């Protein structure tokens, strides 16, 4: 339709396809295929994407041009055909005429053929800026941390400046996610500050929120603690959830995420106390939330998967109130096992550690095998069923796997980030099943190996389906970035129908970036790499809060931050974790999958600090589930001593490093391990 006097800010992301110095202007082709002519003028500002450190990385050389007359407003310097850009400008339409004037032109690198967020320094810089600012907010100038520091100063809710708010709650799952953040920052950088803070956070988490059963077999985690007011000393323990969708219940996803930080820290330290709490918590999952066929004896459906909520009085899923959460299964209760703790736990204990504790580890690994086999199969066959009549998965179910399309806010709606999270994690599972097949084949078990290759193929099929469909209906083809909540079955003739606004949330950008990076690693399909770069550009241009070394929760479709209410907070029940998970895994995936065959630096390091080598005689160091042979260990240093040549090549193939020859530091009793990896191109 032809509009009159219509004006709006418009962001366009794409590549420059032509330049017209006479106007002067350049034209951008978005992924939608639409071409926008961007007119430049004296107010057009050009910059290269900057990181949270605020460093100006604009190193675009001055062009060598001649015969140019009239003002071109830096057009010849910055507008290069084929260059990827993101432009924020003013779009106008009036009586059939239209005009788009560029105000801010963002380049993704000074070199038109490169991307700043694929450089070796990018993601480690981002994670250190975020981690430093969080610790400064909580503990000011302290550089060593204790359990008492977290007891006194840690708060879940912080305002946009990082200051505590009136609500003094300390949520367990959010603290565990902060623990994950700090542990991941240490793994990427080796900075001792982050490890000291992570250990103190873990000690407080275990002391303040852990609830063990009378026989020590089970561990449940309280929702949180709140400092009492009105002069009363001490704190109140909040065992049942206070979350708006989970009030008065024990939601499984909170228990799952209580393990996120503990598992990442265990990978680094091999601290047996952490592993014991992880094992006890998984016992709780299996005996209280799991619904295997044998659960019919308890009056449950016995149809597989995990119930989403327990009644804290009866510890059963079928007496939960209100009814919306009674005997239900959902994405969080089934799928979140994989990214929250299961991947990192399996990486830690498979292959089984050397030493006298293999039998105990074997039992835990068998349970982990059962969980990943069952949850990945259910995701493929129930959530992403081929007959779902939609581009999106179904996210909520009754006990018998009948879809629940009446749940409160969700109804028959999809969260785009969940579809992308499934694409990401099914690709991870595909890599894992390939690794198991490779190991079984080397053991002469060809038939079992073939079974796991079939599992891998099915996981990749689902991941490809969702990756492709979300690229069409879940990602913004004009501006870049990933939408939030949409109708699963859109009406009105549009491919995407928004449940509320066309907004974009930070955690969903993470799922998209990781999904497309890992799908590129699995398929070598350049379409996925384009989607990964498009999504990464939107995150790094519009979600980073450079003034406060953090990130925004939500932006408009154009990338302007939304700061009303909870969306202006620095930390809350929903804010945190995903930005660190993104930085950690985007760094690994870029080096392993993008740089491996791209001619750039394809090496990276991970840092570990083993607290004791008395019981466990080896450490597994594979960074993430990856295709067999994708990365190679090139060097290992233990307390500064290069021990690479002393290692058996068979151990390096399994990414398992024996610790019996290592000498602990006399002062700390720990061994600092620095492992360097080199990525190998995918085999055609």
């Amino acid at each position: 339709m032809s509009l009159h006097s219509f004006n709006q800010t418009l962001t366009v992301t794409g590549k420059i396809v032509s330049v017209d110095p006479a106007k002067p202007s350049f034209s951008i082709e978005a992924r939608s295929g639409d071409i926008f002519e961007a007119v430049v003028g004296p107010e057009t500002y050009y910059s290269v994407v900057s990181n949270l450190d605020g460093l100006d990385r604009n190193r675009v050389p001055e062009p060598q041009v001649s015969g140019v007359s009239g003002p071109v407003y830096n057009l010849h310097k910055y507008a290069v055909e084929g260059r990827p850009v993101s432009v924020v400008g003013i779009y106008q339409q009036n009586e059939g005429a239209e005009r788009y004037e560029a105000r801010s032109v963002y380049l993704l690198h000074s070199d038109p053929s490169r991307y700043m967020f694929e450089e070796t320094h990018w993601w480690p810089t981002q994670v250190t800026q975020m981690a430093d600012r969080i610790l400064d907010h909580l503990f000011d100038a302290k550089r060593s941390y204790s359990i008492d520091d977290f007891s006194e100063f840690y708060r879940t809710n912080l305002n946009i400046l990082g200051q505590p708010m009136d609500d003094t709650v300390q949520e367990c799952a959010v603290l565990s996610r902060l623990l994950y953040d700090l542990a991941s920052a240490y793994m990427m950088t080796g900075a001792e500050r982050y490890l000291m803070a992570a250990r103190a956070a873990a000690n407080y988490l275990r002391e303040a929120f852990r609830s063990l059963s009378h026989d020590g077999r089970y561990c449940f985690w309280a929702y949180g603690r709140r400092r009492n007011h009105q002069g009363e000393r001490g704190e109140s323990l909040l065992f049942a959830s206070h979350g708006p969708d989970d009030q008065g219940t024990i939601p499984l996803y909170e228990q799952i995420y209580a393990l996120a930080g503990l598992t990442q820290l265990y990978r680094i330290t091999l601290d047996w106390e952490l592993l014991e709490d992880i094992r006890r918590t998984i016992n709780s999952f299996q005996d209280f939330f799991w619904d295997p066929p044998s659960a019919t004896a308890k009056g449950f459906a016995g149809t597989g998967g995990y119930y989403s909520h327990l009644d804290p009085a009866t510890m059963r899923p079928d007496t939960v109130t209100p009814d919306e959460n009674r005997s239900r299964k959902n994405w969080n209760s089934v799928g979140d096992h994989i990214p929250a703790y299961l991947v990192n736990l399996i990486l830690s204990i498979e292959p089984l550690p050397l030493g006298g504790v293999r039998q105990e580890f074997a039992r835990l690994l068998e349970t982990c095998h059962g969980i990943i086999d069952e949850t990945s199969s259910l995701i493929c066959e129930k959530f992403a069923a081929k007959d779902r009549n939609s581009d999106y998965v179904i996210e909520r179910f009754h006990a018998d796997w009948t879809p629940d399309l009446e749940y409160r806010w969700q109804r028959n709606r999809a969260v785009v980030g969940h579809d992308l999270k499934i694409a990401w994690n099914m690709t991870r599972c595909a890599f894992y099943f390939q690794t198991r097949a490779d190991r079984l084949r080397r053991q002469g078990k060809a038939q079992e190996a073939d079974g796991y290759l079939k599992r891998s193929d099915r996981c990749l099929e689902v991941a490809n389906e969702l990756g492709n469909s979300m690229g069409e209906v879940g990602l913004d083809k004009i501006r870049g970035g990933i939408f939030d909540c949409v109708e699963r079955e859109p009406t009105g003739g549009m491919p995407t129908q928004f449940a509320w606004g066309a907004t974009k949330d930070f955690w969903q950008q993470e799922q998209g970036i990781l999904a497309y990076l890992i799908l590129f690693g699995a398929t070598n399909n350049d379409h996925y790499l384009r989607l990964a770069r498009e999504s990464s550009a939107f995150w790094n241009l519009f979600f980073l809060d450079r003034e406060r070394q953090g990130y925004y929760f939500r932006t408009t479709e154009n990338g302007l931050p939304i700061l009303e209410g909870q969306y202006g907070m620095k930390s809350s029940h929903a804010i945190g974790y995903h930005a660190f998970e993104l930085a950690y895994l985007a760094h690994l995936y870029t080096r392993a999958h993008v740089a491996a065959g791209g001619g750039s630096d394809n090496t990276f390091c991970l840092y570990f600090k083993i607290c004791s080598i008395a019981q466990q005689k080896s450490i597994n160091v594979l960074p993430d589930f990856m295709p067999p042979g994708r990365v190679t260990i090139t060097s290992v240093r233990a307390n500064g001593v290069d021990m690479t040549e002393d290692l058996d090549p068979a151990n390096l193939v399994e990414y398992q490093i024996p610790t019996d020859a290592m000498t602990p530091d006399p002062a700390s009793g720990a061994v600092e391990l620095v492992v360097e990896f080199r990525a190998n191109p995918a085999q055609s």
Side-chain angles (χ1 to χ4, degrees):
M1 66 183 165
S2 179
L3 301 178
H4 298 78
S5 301
F6 177 76
N7 312 284
Q8 74 164 31
T9 299
L10 176 63
T11 298
V12 178
T13 296
K15 66 178 179 180
I16 298 175
V17 293
S18 65
V19 181
D20 185 351
K23 282 200 172 178
S25 69
F26 61 91
S27 294
I28 320 156
E29 183 178 16
R31 188 165 56 85
S32 64
D34 297 299
I35 295 177
F36 297 80
E37 184 184 37
V39 179
V40 301
E43 301 306 322
T44 301
Y45 175 75
Y46 300 86
S47 64
V48 173
V49 58
S50 63
N51 211 333
L52 286 178
D53 57 6
L55 179 65
D56 182 1
R57 291 182 167 84
N58 186 343
R59 301 296 183 270
V60 178
E62 292 294 333
Q64 301 296 317
V65 296
S66 59
V68 177
S69 61
V72 293
Y73 307 114
N74 283 317
L75 197 64
H76 286 80
K77 180 175 181 179
Y78 293 107
V80 177
E81 287 190 28
R83 164 169 261 157
V85 294
S86 188
V87 179
V88 178
I90 308 299
Y91 174 77
Q92 298 175 292
Q93 189 179 136
N94 186 56
E95 297 182 352
E98 62 179 358
R99 182 178 176 86
Y100 182 52
E101 294 186 357
R103 288 295 180 263
S104 297
V105 180
Y106 298 106
L107 281 57
L108 304 183
H109 200 289
S110 295
D111 182 338
S113 65
R114 295 165 65 184
Y115 297 84
M116 197 63 78
F117 41 76
E118 291 176 6
E119 299 293 326
T120 56
H121 60 78
W122 188 265
W123 296 107
T125 296
Q126 198 163 123
V127 86
T128 56
Q129 291 288 315
M130 292 189 296
D132 285 342
R133 181 52 66 96
I134 286 173
L135 291 176
D136 290 346
H137 280 153
L138 291 175
F139 308 116
D140 195 17
K142 290 176 70 71
R143 286 299 183 271
S144 61
Y145 310 96
S146 68
I147 187 173
D148 290 338
D149 292 325
F150 277 87
S151 175
E152 183 175 358
F153 297 113
Y154 173 71
R155 295 293 179 270
T156 291
N157 296 315
L158 303 175
N159 67 20
I160 196 168
L161 300 176
Q163 300 166 334
M165 301 183 69
D166 291 340
D167 192 338
T168 62
V169 70
Q170 299 174 324
E171 290 187 32
C172 172
V174 181
L175 177 56
S176 178
R177 288 172 158 187
L178 174 59
L179 170 53
Y180 173 96
D181 301 343
L182 296 167
S184 300
Y186 175 79
M187 288 187 78
M188 291 176 72
T189 67
E192 191 71 17
R193 181 188 191 189
Y194 308 143
L195 184 59
M196 287 191 293
R199 283 174 164 157
N203 289 337
Y204 182 60
L205 189 79
R206 298 177 65 243
E207 187 275 335
F209 303 99
R210 184 183 61 173
S211 177
L212 299 180
S213 62
H214 70 285
D215 55 3
R217 175 172 171 75
Y218 303 111
C219 177
F220 283 88
W221 299 88
Y223 166 81
R225 303 184 79 89
R226 177 174 282 127
R227 189 175 298 279
N228 293 326
H229 293 292
Q230 300 174 344
E232 182 182 351
R233 292 186 177 275
E235 295 179 330
S236 298
L237 181 68
L238 312 174
F239 187 73
S241 179
H242 284 222
D245 281 343
D246 313 296
Q247 186 78 28
T249 72
I250 303 174
L252 180 53
Y253 84 93
E254 288 183 2
Q255 301 296 308
I256 285 173
Y257 276 104
L259 295 186
L262 296 176
T263 309
Q264 189 77 324
L265 186 59
Y266 173 72
R267 284 191 68 189
I268 297 169
T269 64
L270 303 186
D271 185 334
W272 70 266
E273 290 184 289
L274 300 178
L275 185 63
E276 182 67 358
D277 280 344
I278 294 166
R279 184 188 65 80
R280 289 162 163 164
T281 308
I282 292 174
N283 286 346
S284 301
F285 299 164
Q286 299 303 95
D287 287 359
F288 290 89
F289 292 93
W290 190 29
D291 188 32
S294 60
T296 55
K298 297 190 290 186
F300 302 155
T303 54
Y306 293 81
Y307 289 107
S308 60
H309 296 78
L310 291 184
D311 180 341
T314 65
M315 302 302 284
R316 291 176 63 93
D318 56 354
T319 60
V320 168
T321 55
D323 179 66
E324 293 101 320
N325 290 325
R326 184 178 302 154
S327 297
R328 298 299 203 275
K329 299 167 184 176
N330 60 32
W331 157 251
N332 297 108
S333 70
V334 175
D336 268 348
H337 292 269
I338 298 170
Y341 72 90
L342 198 55
V343 169
N344 286 323
L345 183 56
I346 291 174
L347 288 168
S348 299
I349 63 176
E350 187 177 22
L352 290 171
L354 305 176
V357 292
R358 289 174 65 88
Q359 190 65 33
E360 182 68 23
F361 280 93
R363 288 193 290 269
L364 179 57
L365 182 58
E366 183 180 5
T367 300
C368 291
H369 282 167
I371 297 173
I372 198 169
D373 290 352
E374 179 174 347
T375 54
S376 61
S377 295
L378 287 171
I379 291 166
C380 291
E381 304 310 323
K382 302 294 185 183
F383 292 78
K386 291 180 181 294
D387 60 353
R388 64 188 187 276
N389 299 319
S390 171
D391 290 310
Y392 309 94
V393 300
I394 298 170
E395 298 186 22
R396 296 182 183 273
F397 297 87
H398 295 275
D400 63 356
W401 295 107
T402 302
D404 178 6
L405 303 180
E406 298 298 327
Y407 184 85
R408 296 185 182 178
W409 59 268
Q410 182 141 33
R411 305 293 178 179
N412 192 15
R413 293 168 179 153
V415 180
V416 175
H418 285 164
D419 287 76
L420 290 165
K421 195 172 190 179
I422 289 173
W424 163 39
N425 283 287
M426 288 303 95
T427 308
R428 293 170 105 184
C429 288
F431 289 167
Y432 175 63
F433 293 140
Q434 291 170 19
T435 299
R436 280 175 74 174
D438 181 65
R439 187 174 291 129
L440 288 165
R441 200 171 296 282
R442 284 188 273 117
Q443 296 170 357
K445 301 176 181 178
Q447 188 171 356
E448 289 183 60
D450 289 342
Y452 281 109
L453 289 178
K454 288 180 180 178
R455 283 180 177 271
S456 173
D457 290 344
R458 177 62 179 135
C459 288
L460 272 180
E461 180 185 15
V462 168
N464 276 292
E465 266 186 31
L466 291 174
N468 287 322
S469 60
M470 290 308 103
E472 292 298 311
V473 298
L475 274 65
D476 190 330
K477 294 168 131 184
I478 301 291
R479 303 166 182 84
I482 293 143
F483 292 123
D484 177 20
C485 193
V486 298
E487 300 293 340
R488 291 187 64 254
E489 299 178 40
T491 59
M494 294 294 159
T496 303
Q497 183 179 7
F498 301 101
W500 297 286
T503 53
K504 299 165 183 176
D505 286 0
F506 85 105
W507 70 270
Q508 302 195 54
Q509 313 311 304
E510 180 223 7
Q511 311 304 315
I513 294 168
L514 297 183
Y516 290 119
L517 283 173
I518 200 171
L519 277 168
F520 175 71
T523 64
N524 209 30
N525 184 336
D526 286 339
H527 176 62
Y528 290 140
L529 183 56
R530 179 179 182 180
L531 294 177
R533 286 168 168 169
E534 179 186 294
S535 303
S536 296
F538 198 88
W539 166 265
N540 285 291
L541 286 172
F542 301 115
F543 271 91
L544 298 185
D545 181 359
R546 293 169 178 83
E547 292 184 5
R548 291 167 285 267
Q549 287 71 53
Y551 45 89
Y552 301 111
F553 183 98
R554 174 170 287 181
T555 73
T556 65
E557 62 271 30
N558 279 308
L560 296 175
I562 294 173
L563 301 177
E564 293 94 350
Q566 63 175 321
Y567 304 117
M569 295 171 65
K570 179 67 66 178
S571 176
S572 74
H573 173 79
I575 301 175
Y577 172 66
H578 289 285
F580 283 84
E581 186 180 51
L582 169 61
Y584 172 65
L585 290 173
H587 179 59
L588 299 186
Y589 292 175
T590 300
R591 305 267 63 80
H593 303 314
V594 180
S600 60
D601 191 331
N602 61 350
T603 63
F604 60 95
C605 283
L606 290 182
Y607 295 81
F608 303 84
K609 197 151 192 179
I610 308 169
C611 65
S612 172
I613 59 175
Q615 290 181 302
Q616 192 171 324
K617 299 297 183 180
S618 63
I619 183 170
N620 297 337
V621 296
L622 180 65
D624 194 66
F625 289 166
M626 292 183 176
R630 177 57 53 89
V631 294
T632 301
I633 295 175
T634 57
S635 73
V636 178
R637 300 185 69 85
N639 285 345
V641 177
D642 191 334
M643 56 182 297
T644 314
E645 293 184 359
D646 299 328
L647 296 175
D648 187 334
N651 293 123
L652 297 183
V653 167
E654 292 282 10
Y655 306 98
Q656 185 174 72
I657 299 174
T659 59
D660 52 357
M662 298 178 186
T663 303
D665 176 73
S668 65
V671 175
E672 182 188 78
L673 204 64
V674 185
V675 184
E676 183 182 28
F677 300 86
R678 182 189 70 247
N680 305 308
Q683 300 298 313
S684 58

